[in-house]
Amino acid sequence: MASNRKQETSEKIITTAIDLFSKDGYNGVTTEQIAKEAGFSEKTLFRHFQSKQNLLEKAIDRYHYGEEMRSIFESKVVWNLQEDLTLISQNYHRIMYQNRKLLKMLMKIGENVPGLHQYSHRHPELLKEFLTNYFEEMKNREKIIPVDAEKIAITFLYMNFGFANGRMNGSCDFRDGEFEKLLKDSVALFTRGLTP
Amino acid sequence: MASNRKQETSEKIITTAIDLFSKDGYNGVTTEQIAKEAGFSEKTLFRHFQSKQNLLEKAIDRYHYGEEMRSIFESKVVWNLQEDLTLISQNYHRIMYQNRKLLKMLMKIGENVPGLHQYSHRHPELLKEFLTNYFEEMKNREKIIPVDAEKIAITFLYMNFGFANGRMNGSCDFRDGEFEKLLKDSVALFTRGLTP
DNA sequence: TTAAAATGTCAGTCAGTACAGACATTCATT
DNA sequence: AATGAATGTCTGTACTGACTGACATTTTAA
């Protein structure tokens, strides 16, 4: 089909744009670079997206990150701290890693993009609430010591955000299973710190 | 003194540049904007810094948080886990907060700036080593349980980086003493998770 | 084979922006 | 008050980069 080909072209241009934007930011990349890198002419880029700004917006829309994040909430918790935290952090990092370039891109985009800030903070907020409720319930079940559930949730989330950020920017050497081991140790620490 | 006045002008331009760069990135701000916002003419900006690129470089090495970071290493550890972690995290966040705009700026700058990546990762690396050695020694003294010292150090650091990042971007409402409470709770969690 | 859809080429427009020179003006110091 | 340093103003240059239109070429589907 023709429409299929058209779609593939758009797809290729978008992913290339995300790739370059994530490295050098929106203003640091030219439409010519994007088109060339994607293997098309600049003209084709504009035929597909009309403007650079629109290309950016289409790239952001592609952010299915939000929808995927929902899968975390659907994580079947079994009310066992270690198991649950492991599952949650694994899901979290899978999603963050899949969307790492988009995330880097978003972090580089200025504060001048309206609504973006709220948009990109909506899902983390939901995740925080989800975790807070989880810890609250665990307290009721007397499976963890009495703590400020929200603060523990924030701590767990920001710790994992830190991990994800470090992995994205290649700060530490997270080769092979190193990253998984780190997650395991951090979950173990939480578990030991919270179980009565 | 005349040289004093000159210096003050440079200072004002640099801080303004950092302020704007941190919001919209290097390419998202014009020299005209910087000059105007700083209260000078564009010509003065160029008389002081010759080029925009040079202004960026001066901004980067004038506000190097690296030296301040050294004060963390000079933190007098007393080999009491809770006290030491509290002191370290407090120092860390003081420095991160002071340099928050510079840090935001650095995060937005593309990977095309040579050497910047290594430069901005040098001090966190040192801090990681410092902390790793600390946990190692605490193990020897049998004040904490046997764990992978490096992984715990990474966990503690990335958690705090996550906090700092959240505070910089205003993700959560860290008003009044909320942030301090968060630090306290997270240190308590670590302490409980590591003490035998 | 053929028509339509998709892409390429190339030349060009237009706005924005880093930066320079000439000259006027303000400011601090004596 | 006078002088030199610092700054302002204004004009201009050179270049980049988003975006367009006309026309040619390739690709796809019937």
Side-chain angles (χ1 to χ4, degrees), chain A residues 1 5 29-31 42-43 46 51-52:
Chain A
M1 294 180 196
R5 183 189 172 197
V29 182
T30 70
T31 51
E42 197 183 1
K43 184 77 200 178
F46 280 102
S51 74
K52 189 186 179 186

PDB file of all heavy atoms in Angstrom, chain A residues 1 5 29-31 42-43 46 51-52, chain D residues 17-23 27-29:
ATOM      1  N   MET A   1       0.834  -1.220   0.000  1.00  0.00           N
ATOM      2  CA  MET A   1       0.000   0.000   0.000  1.00  0.00           C
ATOM      3  C   MET A   1       0.857   1.253   0.000  1.00  0.00           C
ATOM      4  O   MET A   1       1.947   1.283   0.559  1.00  0.00           O
ATOM      5  CB  MET A   1      -0.858   0.045   1.266  1.00  0.00           C
ATOM      6  CG  MET A   1      -1.904  -1.043   1.348  1.00  0.00           C
ATOM      7  SD  MET A   1      -2.806  -0.823   2.875  1.00  0.00           S
ATOM      8  CE  MET A   1      -3.584  -2.414   2.992  1.00  0.00           C
ATOM      9  N   ARG A   5       3.753   3.017   2.964  1.00  0.00           N
ATOM     10  CA  ARG A   5       5.068   3.591   2.673  1.00  0.00           C
ATOM     11  C   ARG A   5       5.174   4.977   3.297  1.00  0.00           C
ATOM     12  O   ARG A   5       6.178   5.334   3.906  1.00  0.00           O
ATOM     13  CB  ARG A   5       5.247   3.682   1.151  1.00  0.00           C
ATOM     14  CG  ARG A   5       6.591   4.182   0.706  1.00  0.00           C
ATOM     15  CD  ARG A   5       6.542   4.418  -0.802  1.00  0.00           C
ATOM     16  NE  ARG A   5       7.737   5.080  -1.292  1.00  0.00           N
ATOM     17  CZ  ARG A   5       7.793   5.682  -2.462  1.00  0.00           C
ATOM     18  NH1 ARG A   5       6.723   5.691  -3.260  1.00  0.00           N
ATOM     19  NH2 ARG A   5       8.888   6.272  -2.855  1.00  0.00           N
ATOM     20  N   VAL A  29      19.539  21.206  16.349  1.00  0.00           N
ATOM     21  CA  VAL A  29      19.471  20.326  15.183  1.00  0.00           C
ATOM     22  C   VAL A  29      18.702  21.023  14.068  1.00  0.00           C
ATOM     23  O   VAL A  29      17.702  21.678  14.321  1.00  0.00           O
ATOM     24  CB  VAL A  29      18.744  19.011  15.554  1.00  0.00           C
ATOM     25  CG1 VAL A  29      18.701  18.071  14.367  1.00  0.00           C
ATOM     26  CG2 VAL A  29      19.412  18.354  16.740  1.00  0.00           C
ATOM     27  N   THR A  30      19.173  20.875  12.843  1.00  0.00           N
ATOM     28  CA  THR A  30      18.478  21.497  11.712  1.00  0.00           C
ATOM     29  C   THR A  30      17.608  20.470  11.006  1.00  0.00           C
ATOM     30  O   THR A  30      17.860  19.263  11.082  1.00  0.00           O
ATOM     31  CB  THR A  30      19.466  22.083  10.700  1.00  0.00           C
ATOM     32  OG1 THR A  30      20.135  21.012  10.031  1.00  0.00           O
ATOM     33  CG2 THR A  30      20.485  22.970  11.384  1.00  0.00           C
ATOM     34  N   THR A  31      16.606  20.985  10.322  1.00  0.00           N
ATOM     35  CA  THR A  31      15.723  20.090   9.563  1.00  0.00           C
ATOM     36  C   THR A  31      16.513  19.351   8.490  1.00  0.00           C
ATOM     37  O   THR A  31      16.201  18.217   8.152  1.00  0.00           O
ATOM     38  CB  THR A  31      14.580  20.882   8.914  1.00  0.00           C
ATOM     39  OG1 THR A  31      15.126  21.989   8.192  1.00  0.00           O
ATOM     40  CG2 THR A  31      13.610  21.384   9.958  1.00  0.00           C
ATOM     41  N   GLU A  42      15.124  17.114   2.529  1.00  0.00           N
ATOM     42  CA  GLU A  42      14.492  18.044   3.456  1.00  0.00           C
ATOM     43  C   GLU A  42      13.052  18.333   3.022  1.00  0.00           C
ATOM     44  O   GLU A  42      12.153  18.471   3.845  1.00  0.00           O
ATOM     45  CB  GLU A  42      15.309  19.342   3.494  1.00  0.00           C
ATOM     46  CG  GLU A  42      15.007  20.211   4.693  1.00  0.00           C
ATOM     47  CD  GLU A  42      15.782  21.517   4.646  1.00  0.00           C
ATOM     48  OE1 GLU A  42      16.532  21.735   3.666  1.00  0.00           O
ATOM     49  OE2 GLU A  42      15.631  22.331   5.565  1.00  0.00           O
ATOM     50  N   LYS A  43      12.879  18.388   1.727  1.00  0.00           N
ATOM     51  CA  LYS A  43      11.539  18.659   1.192  1.00  0.00           C
ATOM     52  C   LYS A  43      10.516  17.642   1.680  1.00  0.00           C
ATOM     53  O   LYS A  43       9.391  17.983   2.039  1.00  0.00           O
ATOM     54  CB  LYS A  43      11.607  18.640  -0.332  1.00  0.00           C
ATOM     55  CG  LYS A  43      10.318  19.010  -1.018  1.00  0.00           C
ATOM     56  CD  LYS A  43      10.091  20.489  -0.992  1.00  0.00           C
ATOM     57  CE  LYS A  43       8.630  20.825  -1.230  1.00  0.00           C
ATOM     58  NZ  LYS A  43       8.386  22.263  -1.172  1.00  0.00           N
ATOM     59  N   PHE A  46       9.290  18.287   5.131  1.00  0.00           N
ATOM     60  CA  PHE A  46       8.269  19.329   5.240  1.00  0.00           C
ATOM     61  C   PHE A  46       6.946  18.899   4.631  1.00  0.00           C
ATOM     62  O   PHE A  46       5.892  19.337   5.059  1.00  0.00           O
ATOM     63  CB  PHE A  46       8.763  20.628   4.597  1.00  0.00           C
ATOM     64  CG  PHE A  46       9.681  21.390   5.503  1.00  0.00           C
ATOM     65  CD1 PHE A  46      11.055  21.354   5.307  1.00  0.00           C
ATOM     66  CD2 PHE A  46       9.188  22.110   6.577  1.00  0.00           C
ATOM     67  CE1 PHE A  46      11.910  22.043   6.158  1.00  0.00           C
ATOM     68  CE2 PHE A  46      10.036  22.794   7.423  1.00  0.00           C
ATOM     69  CZ  PHE A  46      11.402  22.757   7.220  1.00  0.00           C
ATOM     70  N   SER A  51       5.992  21.763   9.447  1.00  0.00           N
ATOM     71  CA  SER A  51       6.942  22.635  10.152  1.00  0.00           C
ATOM     72  C   SER A  51       7.763  21.825  11.146  1.00  0.00           C
ATOM     73  O   SER A  51       7.370  20.720  11.540  1.00  0.00           O
ATOM     74  CB  SER A  51       6.206  23.752  10.891  1.00  0.00           C
ATOM     75  OG  SER A  51       5.559  23.235  12.031  1.00  0.00           O
ATOM     76  N   LYS A  52       8.870  22.389  11.530  1.00  0.00           N
ATOM     77  CA  LYS A  52       9.742  21.718  12.497  1.00  0.00           C
ATOM     78  C   LYS A  52       9.031  21.579  13.848  1.00  0.00           C
ATOM     79  O   LYS A  52       9.126  20.546  14.503  1.00  0.00           O
ATOM     80  CB  LYS A  52      11.019  22.551  12.658  1.00  0.00           C
ATOM     81  CG  LYS A  52      12.109  21.875  13.469  1.00  0.00           C
ATOM     82  CD  LYS A  52      13.278  22.825  13.693  1.00  0.00           C
ATOM     83  CE  LYS A  52      14.369  22.194  14.527  1.00  0.00           C
ATOM     84  NZ  LYS A  52      15.442  23.164  14.864  1.00  0.00           N
TER      85      LYS A  52
ATOM     86  P    DG D  17      22.619  26.271  10.708  1.00  0.00           P
ATOM     87  OP1  DG D  17      22.939  25.755  12.044  1.00  0.00           O
ATOM     88  OP2  DG D  17      23.083  25.586   9.486  1.00  0.00           O
ATOM     89  O5'  DG D  17      21.037  26.416  10.617  1.00  0.00           O
ATOM     90  C5'  DG D  17      20.371  27.360  11.435  1.00  0.00           C
ATOM     91  C4'  DG D  17      18.953  27.492  10.946  1.00  0.00           C
ATOM     92  O4'  DG D  17      18.913  28.455   9.861  1.00  0.00           O
ATOM     93  C3'  DG D  17      18.370  26.192  10.363  1.00  0.00           C
ATOM     94  O3'  DG D  17      17.016  26.077  10.749  1.00  0.00           O
ATOM     95  C2'  DG D  17      18.506  26.390   8.871  1.00  0.00           C
ATOM     96  C1'  DG D  17      18.228  27.888   8.769  1.00  0.00           C
ATOM     97  N9   DG D  17      18.696  28.507   7.548  1.00  0.00           N
ATOM     98  C8   DG D  17      19.798  28.169   6.799  1.00  0.00           C
ATOM     99  N7   DG D  17      19.958  28.910   5.739  1.00  0.00           N
ATOM    100  C5   DG D  17      18.887  29.789   5.791  1.00  0.00           C
ATOM    101  C6   DG D  17      18.516  30.836   4.902  1.00  0.00           C
ATOM    102  O6   DG D  17      19.076  31.194   3.874  1.00  0.00           O
ATOM    103  N1   DG D  17      17.354  31.475   5.340  1.00  0.00           N
ATOM    104  C2   DG D  17      16.653  31.158   6.471  1.00  0.00           C
ATOM    105  N2   DG D  17      15.559  31.882   6.730  1.00  0.00           N
ATOM    106  N3   DG D  17      16.983  30.190   7.303  1.00  0.00           N
ATOM    107  C4   DG D  17      18.105  29.553   6.904  1.00  0.00           C
ATOM    108  P    DA D  18      16.274  24.660  10.808  1.00  0.00           P
ATOM    109  OP1  DA D  18      16.414  24.105  12.163  1.00  0.00           O
ATOM    110  OP2  DA D  18      16.717  23.877   9.637  1.00  0.00           O
ATOM    111  O5'  DA D  18      14.758  25.081  10.584  1.00  0.00           O
ATOM    112  C5'  DA D  18      14.210  26.137  11.354  1.00  0.00           C
ATOM    113  C4'  DA D  18      13.172  26.884  10.540  1.00  0.00           C
ATOM    114  O4'  DA D  18      13.826  27.558   9.434  1.00  0.00           O
ATOM    115  C3'  DA D  18      12.085  26.003   9.914  1.00  0.00           C
ATOM    116  O3'  DA D  18      10.835  26.654  10.058  1.00  0.00           O
ATOM    117  C2'  DA D  18      12.512  25.905   8.447  1.00  0.00           C
ATOM    118  C1'  DA D  18      13.153  27.266   8.221  1.00  0.00           C
ATOM    119  N9   DA D  18      14.161  27.289   7.158  1.00  0.00           N
ATOM    120  C8   DA D  18      15.260  26.483   7.041  1.00  0.00           C
ATOM    121  N7   DA D  18      15.996  26.743   5.982  1.00  0.00           N
ATOM    122  C5   DA D  18      15.337  27.794   5.372  1.00  0.00           C
ATOM    123  C6   DA D  18      15.614  28.531   4.200  1.00  0.00           C
ATOM    124  N6   DA D  18      16.670  28.302   3.405  1.00  0.00           N
ATOM    125  N1   DA D  18      14.750  29.513   3.865  1.00  0.00           N
ATOM    126  C2   DA D  18      13.693  29.739   4.650  1.00  0.00           C
ATOM    127  N3   DA D  18      13.336  29.118   5.777  1.00  0.00           N
ATOM    128  C4   DA D  18      14.210  28.143   6.085  1.00  0.00           C
ATOM    129  P    DC D  19       9.510  25.763   9.881  1.00  0.00           P
ATOM    130  OP1  DC D  19       8.419  26.431  10.617  1.00  0.00           O
ATOM    131  OP2  DC D  19       9.824  24.356  10.117  1.00  0.00           O
ATOM    132  O5'  DC D  19       9.222  25.994   8.327  1.00  0.00           O
ATOM    133  C5'  DC D  19       8.994  27.331   7.870  1.00  0.00           C
ATOM    134  C4'  DC D  19       9.058  27.379   6.378  1.00  0.00           C
ATOM    135  O4'  DC D  19      10.414  27.264   5.904  1.00  0.00           O
ATOM    136  C3'  DC D  19       8.289  26.292   5.616  1.00  0.00           C
ATOM    137  O3'  DC D  19       7.084  26.828   5.083  1.00  0.00           O
ATOM    138  C2'  DC D  19       9.248  25.838   4.511  1.00  0.00           C
ATOM    139  C1'  DC D  19      10.320  26.927   4.552  1.00  0.00           C
ATOM    140  N1   DC D  19      11.642  26.469   4.044  1.00  0.00           N
ATOM    141  C2   DC D  19      12.198  27.126   2.940  1.00  0.00           C
ATOM    142  O2   DC D  19      11.584  28.045   2.423  1.00  0.00           O
ATOM    143  N3   DC D  19      13.404  26.712   2.464  1.00  0.00           N
ATOM    144  C4   DC D  19      14.034  25.697   3.047  1.00  0.00           C
ATOM    145  N4   DC D  19      15.213  25.338   2.548  1.00  0.00           N
ATOM    146  C5   DC D  19      13.493  25.016   4.181  1.00  0.00           C
ATOM    147  C6   DC D  19      12.297  25.427   4.644  1.00  0.00           C
ATOM    148  P    DT D  20       6.129  26.002   4.124  1.00  0.00           P
ATOM    149  OP1  DT D  20       4.750  26.407   4.405  1.00  0.00           O
ATOM    150  OP2  DT D  20       6.498  24.579   4.168  1.00  0.00           O
ATOM    151  O5'  DT D  20       6.551  26.566   2.694  1.00  0.00           O
ATOM    152  C5'  DT D  20       6.708  27.966   2.497  1.00  0.00           C
ATOM    153  C4'  DT D  20       6.892  28.253   1.022  1.00  0.00           C
ATOM    154  O4'  DT D  20       8.277  28.047   0.654  1.00  0.00           O
ATOM    155  C3'  DT D  20       6.061  27.372   0.086  1.00  0.00           C
ATOM    156  O3'  DT D  20       5.349  28.193  -0.832  1.00  0.00           O
ATOM    157  C2'  DT D  20       7.078  26.491  -0.626  1.00  0.00           C
ATOM    158  C1'  DT D  20       8.345  27.331  -0.561  1.00  0.00           C
ATOM    159  N1   DT D  20       9.600  26.522  -0.523  1.00  0.00           N
ATOM    160  C2   DT D  20      10.538  26.729  -1.508  1.00  0.00           C
ATOM    161  O2   DT D  20      10.426  27.521  -2.408  1.00  0.00           O
ATOM    162  N3   DT D  20      11.665  25.944  -1.377  1.00  0.00           N
ATOM    163  C4   DT D  20      11.918  24.997  -0.383  1.00  0.00           C
ATOM    164  O4   DT D  20      12.956  24.345  -0.373  1.00  0.00           O
ATOM    165  C5   DT D  20      10.872  24.843   0.598  1.00  0.00           C
ATOM    166  C7   DT D  20      11.039  23.857   1.706  1.00  0.00           C
ATOM    167  C6   DT D  20       9.777  25.602   0.490  1.00  0.00           C
ATOM    168  P    DG D  21       4.206  27.537  -1.722  1.00  0.00           P
ATOM    169  OP1  DG D  21       3.092  28.502  -1.733  1.00  0.00           O
ATOM    170  OP2  DG D  21       3.965  26.147  -1.305  1.00  0.00           O
ATOM    171  O5'  DG D  21       4.893  27.514  -3.166  1.00  0.00           O
ATOM    172  C5'  DG D  21       5.637  28.650  -3.603  1.00  0.00           C
ATOM    173  C4'  DG D  21       6.214  28.382  -4.976  1.00  0.00           C
ATOM    174  O4'  DG D  21       7.492  27.704  -4.840  1.00  0.00           O
ATOM    175  C3'  DG D  21       5.354  27.495  -5.875  1.00  0.00           C
ATOM    176  O3'  DG D  21       5.365  28.009  -7.204  1.00  0.00           O
ATOM    177  C2'  DG D  21       6.014  26.124  -5.793  1.00  0.00           C
ATOM    178  C1'  DG D  21       7.479  26.472  -5.551  1.00  0.00           C
ATOM    179  N9   DG D  21       8.198  25.515  -4.740  1.00  0.00           N
ATOM    180  C8   DG D  21       7.733  24.848  -3.631  1.00  0.00           C
ATOM    181  N7   DG D  21       8.612  24.042  -3.091  1.00  0.00           N
ATOM    182  C5   DG D  21       9.734  24.192  -3.891  1.00  0.00           C
ATOM    183  C6   DG D  21      11.004  23.574  -3.793  1.00  0.00           C
ATOM    184  O6   DG D  21      11.401  22.763  -2.957  1.00  0.00           O
ATOM    185  N1   DG D  21      11.869  24.013  -4.805  1.00  0.00           N
ATOM    186  C2   DG D  21      11.526  24.920  -5.778  1.00  0.00           C
ATOM    187  N2   DG D  21      12.489  25.215  -6.642  1.00  0.00           N
ATOM    188  N3   DG D  21      10.346  25.505  -5.883  1.00  0.00           N
ATOM    189  C4   DG D  21       9.506  25.092  -4.906  1.00  0.00           C
ATOM    190  P    DA D  22       4.468  27.300  -8.320  1.00  0.00           P
ATOM    191  OP1  DA D  22       3.786  28.391  -9.054  1.00  0.00           O
ATOM    192  OP2  DA D  22       3.675  26.186  -7.743  1.00  0.00           O
ATOM    193  O5'  DA D  22       5.602  26.692  -9.267  1.00  0.00           O
ATOM    194  C5'  DA D  22       6.747  27.483  -9.590  1.00  0.00           C
ATOM    195  C4'  DA D  22       7.679  26.680 -10.480  1.00  0.00           C
ATOM    196  O4'  DA D  22       8.489  25.815  -9.654  1.00  0.00           O
ATOM    197  C3'  DA D  22       6.967  25.770 -11.487  1.00  0.00           C
ATOM    198  O3'  DA D  22       7.676  25.755 -12.715  1.00  0.00           O
ATOM    199  C2'  DA D  22       6.985  24.408 -10.802  1.00  0.00           C
ATOM    200  C1'  DA D  22       8.310  24.473 -10.051  1.00  0.00           C
ATOM    201  N9   DA D  22       8.345  23.652  -8.848  1.00  0.00           N
ATOM    202  C8   DA D  22       7.320  23.432  -7.961  1.00  0.00           C
ATOM    203  N7   DA D  22       7.644  22.656  -6.956  1.00  0.00           N
ATOM    204  C5   DA D  22       8.975  22.339  -7.194  1.00  0.00           C
ATOM    205  C6   DA D  22       9.903  21.550  -6.496  1.00  0.00           C
ATOM    206  N6   DA D  22       9.612  20.908  -5.357  1.00  0.00           N
ATOM    207  N1   DA D  22      11.149  21.444  -7.008  1.00  0.00           N
ATOM    208  C2   DA D  22      11.433  22.098  -8.145  1.00  0.00           C
ATOM    209  N3   DA D  22      10.648  22.872  -8.885  1.00  0.00           N
ATOM    210  C4   DA D  22       9.425  22.953  -8.356  1.00  0.00           C
ATOM    211  P    DC D  23       7.046  24.961 -13.968  1.00  0.00           P
ATOM    212  OP1  DC D  23       7.366  25.753 -15.168  1.00  0.00           O
ATOM    213  OP2  DC D  23       5.663  24.580 -13.646  1.00  0.00           O
ATOM    214  O5'  DC D  23       7.938  23.635 -13.995  1.00  0.00           O
ATOM    215  C5'  DC D  23       9.358  23.756 -13.923  1.00  0.00           C
ATOM    216  C4'  DC D  23       9.973  22.402 -13.645  1.00  0.00           C
ATOM    217  O4'  DC D  23       9.742  22.033 -12.272  1.00  0.00           O
ATOM    218  C3'  DC D  23       9.414  21.248 -14.492  1.00  0.00           C
ATOM    219  O3'  DC D  23      10.489  20.673 -15.228  1.00  0.00           O
ATOM    220  C2'  DC D  23       8.827  20.284 -13.467  1.00  0.00           C
ATOM    221  C1'  DC D  23       9.627  20.640 -12.220  1.00  0.00           C
ATOM    222  N1   DC D  23       8.981  20.257 -10.943  1.00  0.00           N
ATOM    223  C2   DC D  23       9.727  19.598  -9.966  1.00  0.00           C
ATOM    224  O2   DC D  23      10.918  19.355 -10.197  1.00  0.00           O
ATOM    225  N3   DC D  23       9.137  19.237  -8.806  1.00  0.00           N
ATOM    226  C4   DC D  23       7.849  19.517  -8.605  1.00  0.00           C
ATOM    227  N4   DC D  23       7.307  19.159  -7.440  1.00  0.00           N
ATOM    228  C5   DC D  23       7.058  20.195  -9.583  1.00  0.00           C
ATOM    229  C6   DC D  23       7.654  20.547 -10.723  1.00  0.00           C
ATOM    230  P    DT D  27      13.301   3.621  -7.507  1.00  0.00           P
ATOM    231  OP1  DT D  27      14.253   3.281  -6.438  1.00  0.00           O
ATOM    232  OP2  DT D  27      13.397   3.002  -8.851  1.00  0.00           O
ATOM    233  O5'  DT D  27      11.826   3.366  -6.953  1.00  0.00           O
ATOM    234  C5'  DT D  27      11.395   4.067  -5.791  1.00  0.00           C
ATOM    235  C4'  DT D  27       9.898   3.920  -5.628  1.00  0.00           C
ATOM    236  O4'  DT D  27       9.216   4.617  -6.697  1.00  0.00           O
ATOM    237  C3'  DT D  27       9.379   2.475  -5.666  1.00  0.00           C
ATOM    238  O3'  DT D  27       8.775   2.188  -4.420  1.00  0.00           O
ATOM    239  C2'  DT D  27       8.385   2.441  -6.829  1.00  0.00           C
ATOM    240  C1'  DT D  27       8.025   3.918  -6.977  1.00  0.00           C
ATOM    241  N1   DT D  27       7.581   4.349  -8.326  1.00  0.00           N
ATOM    242  C2   DT D  27       6.292   4.812  -8.478  1.00  0.00           C
ATOM    243  O2   DT D  27       5.496   4.875  -7.560  1.00  0.00           O
ATOM    244  N3   DT D  27       5.982   5.205  -9.762  1.00  0.00           N
ATOM    245  C4   DT D  27       6.807   5.176 -10.875  1.00  0.00           C
ATOM    246  O4   DT D  27       6.413   5.551 -11.980  1.00  0.00           O
ATOM    247  C5   DT D  27       8.133   4.674 -10.642  1.00  0.00           C
ATOM    248  C7   DT D  27       9.104   4.602 -11.773  1.00  0.00           C
ATOM    249  C6   DT D  27       8.460   4.288  -9.391  1.00  0.00           C
ATOM    250  P    DT D  28       8.445   0.646  -4.074  1.00  0.00           P
ATOM    251  OP1  DT D  28       8.696   0.486  -2.629  1.00  0.00           O
ATOM    252  OP2  DT D  28       9.086  -0.251  -5.053  1.00  0.00           O
ATOM    253  O5'  DT D  28       6.865   0.593  -4.300  1.00  0.00           O
ATOM    254  C5'  DT D  28       6.047   1.577  -3.674  1.00  0.00           C
ATOM    255  C4'  DT D  28       4.674   1.605  -4.296  1.00  0.00           C
ATOM    256  O4'  DT D  28       4.748   2.144  -5.642  1.00  0.00           O
ATOM    257  C3'  DT D  28       3.987   0.236  -4.429  1.00  0.00           C
ATOM    258  O3'  DT D  28       2.787   0.270  -3.670  1.00  0.00           O
ATOM    259  C2'  DT D  28       3.713   0.080  -5.932  1.00  0.00           C
ATOM    260  C1'  DT D  28       3.737   1.530  -6.410  1.00  0.00           C
ATOM    261  N1   DT D  28       4.097   1.739  -7.839  1.00  0.00           N
ATOM    262  C2   DT D  28       3.207   2.398  -8.668  1.00  0.00           C
ATOM    263  O2   DT D  28       2.140   2.814  -8.293  1.00  0.00           O
ATOM    264  N3   DT D  28       3.636   2.552  -9.963  1.00  0.00           N
ATOM    265  C4   DT D  28       4.842   2.123 -10.495  1.00  0.00           C
ATOM    266  O4   DT D  28       5.098   2.327 -11.681  1.00  0.00           O
ATOM    267  C5   DT D  28       5.716   1.448  -9.589  1.00  0.00           C
ATOM    268  C7   DT D  28       7.051   0.942 -10.061  1.00  0.00           C
ATOM    269  C6   DT D  28       5.316   1.287  -8.309  1.00  0.00           C
ATOM    270  P    DA D  29       2.058  -1.126  -3.322  1.00  0.00           P
ATOM    271  OP1  DA D  29       1.621  -1.020  -1.907  1.00  0.00           O
ATOM    272  OP2  DA D  29       2.869  -2.274  -3.765  1.00  0.00           O
ATOM    273  O5'  DA D  29       0.766  -1.035  -4.259  1.00  0.00           O
ATOM    274  C5'  DA D  29      -0.049   0.133  -4.193  1.00  0.00           C
ATOM    275  C4'  DA D  29      -1.039   0.150  -5.340  1.00  0.00           C
ATOM    276  O4'  DA D  29      -0.336   0.423  -6.585  1.00  0.00           O
ATOM    277  C3'  DA D  29      -1.806  -1.164  -5.575  1.00  0.00           C
ATOM    278  O3'  DA D  29      -3.157  -0.867  -5.874  1.00  0.00           O
ATOM    279  C2'  DA D  29      -1.088  -1.782  -6.762  1.00  0.00           C
ATOM    280  C1'  DA D  29      -0.693  -0.541  -7.548  1.00  0.00           C
ATOM    281  N9   DA D  29       0.474  -0.747  -8.416  1.00  0.00           N
ATOM    282  C8   DA D  29       1.595  -1.483  -8.150  1.00  0.00           C
ATOM    283  N7   DA D  29       2.482  -1.469  -9.116  1.00  0.00           N
ATOM    284  C5   DA D  29       1.911  -0.655 -10.086  1.00  0.00           C
ATOM    285  C6   DA D  29       2.362  -0.241 -11.354  1.00  0.00           C
ATOM    286  N6   DA D  29       3.525  -0.590 -11.873  1.00  0.00           N
ATOM    287  N1   DA D  29       1.537   0.575 -12.056  1.00  0.00           N
ATOM    288  C2   DA D  29       0.373   0.935 -11.530  1.00  0.00           C
ATOM    289  N3   DA D  29      -0.156   0.600 -10.348  1.00  0.00           N
ATOM    290  C4   DA D  29       0.684  -0.203  -9.672  1.00  0.00           C
TER     291       DA D  29
END
